[in-house]
Amino acid sequence: MRVSLFVIAATIVPWSMTITGCARQPASGPDATSHSAEHDAGAGGDHHGPDAEELAPISVTLFTPKVELFIEFPLLIQGEMATFLAHLTVLATGEPVRSGTLILEAQGADGKSVRVQVDAPARDGLFKPEAVFPAAGSYAAKLIVRCDQVEDTIDLDELVVHSDVHGAQHAAEALAGADPP
């Protein structure tokens, strides 16, 4: 299954920003405040705006030959609980997945892994796995759905986990400037 360019940008760009950190550029103009000065201002100088809870979620739609997945989740931060809203539809019937289990599996490059199982949908078509990622970095992830209606594995490609809220805020700023596919 091919993943759209936007999904790739939504994962690689934030991850690369986490590694490279803030680009400290000098301010211009008489009243300008430098990015560096804003960092040095501490808690009172948060220049990035919203808290992690207020950042726009990642939204992705993927298809396999059997199911449609629409999934939303927050920018991921190591050590913090993240709720994934996974909407699943059986393509053969157009009906939502009404029962069964959903497993989220993610494997980090460092060998650390996450596995979460939800034993029933919160409502027709909606599973809500919650996961805590132990370390920042890139995780190869997939969802496994098993029920009477369908069994399938959906490759999520890579999930990027940020080391802190600051890194997630930078990723959100980069995504806000990205053009959709």
Side-chain angles (χ1 to χ4, degrees):
M1 171 178 36
R2 296 192 63 88
V3 178
S4 73
L5 181 60
F6 180 72
V7 172
I8 292 170
T11 57
I12 293 174
V13 170
W15 181 69
S16 65
M17 291 185 72
T18 299
I19 290 174
T20 60
C22 294
R24 295 181 182 216
Q25 299 177 0
S28 59
D31 296 324
T33 303
S34 73
H35 189 87
S36 177
E38 290 172 344
H39 272 275
D40 298 338
D46 183 15
H47 67 287
H48 291 290
D51 292 333
E53 301 83 34
E54 298 172 1
L55 297 173
I58 303 292
S59 300
V60 179
T61 301
L62 298 172
F63 292 87
T64 73
K66 298 179 183 179
V67 299
E68 173 190 5
L69 167 69
F70 174 72
I71 189 166
E72 290 183 303
F73 54 93
L75 289 169
L76 304 172
I77 301 169
Q78 82 176 36
E80 292 192 16
M81 179 69 70
T83 301
F84 292 76
L85 302 177
H87 304 265
L88 290 160
T89 303
V90 179
L91 290 177
T93 62
E95 297 178 352
V97 173
R98 292 192 172 94
S99 65
T101 61
L102 182 75
I103 300 167
L104 168 64
E105 290 183 353
Q107 180 74 38
D110 61 359
K112 294 183 179 177
S113 64
V114 173
R115 186 178 194 281
V116 178
Q117 179 170 321
V118 178
D119 292 323
R123 63 169 202 238
D124 285 355
L126 177 63
F127 288 85
K128 295 169 68 174
E130 295 181 323
V132 175
F133 291 83
S138 183
Y139 287 75
K142 64 183 173 183
L143 289 175
I144 303 163
V145 60
R146 294 185 182 131
C147 68
D148 292 340
Q149 294 169 279
V150 69
E151 289 193 16
D152 205 358
T153 299
I154 307 157
D155 182 12
L156 298 178
D157 197 30
E158 292 187 328
L159 298 178
V160 176
V161 178
H162 305 279
S163 59
D164 56 23
V165 174
H166 184 78
Q169 289 168 329
H170 275 282
E173 291 168 1
L175 287 174
D179 291 329

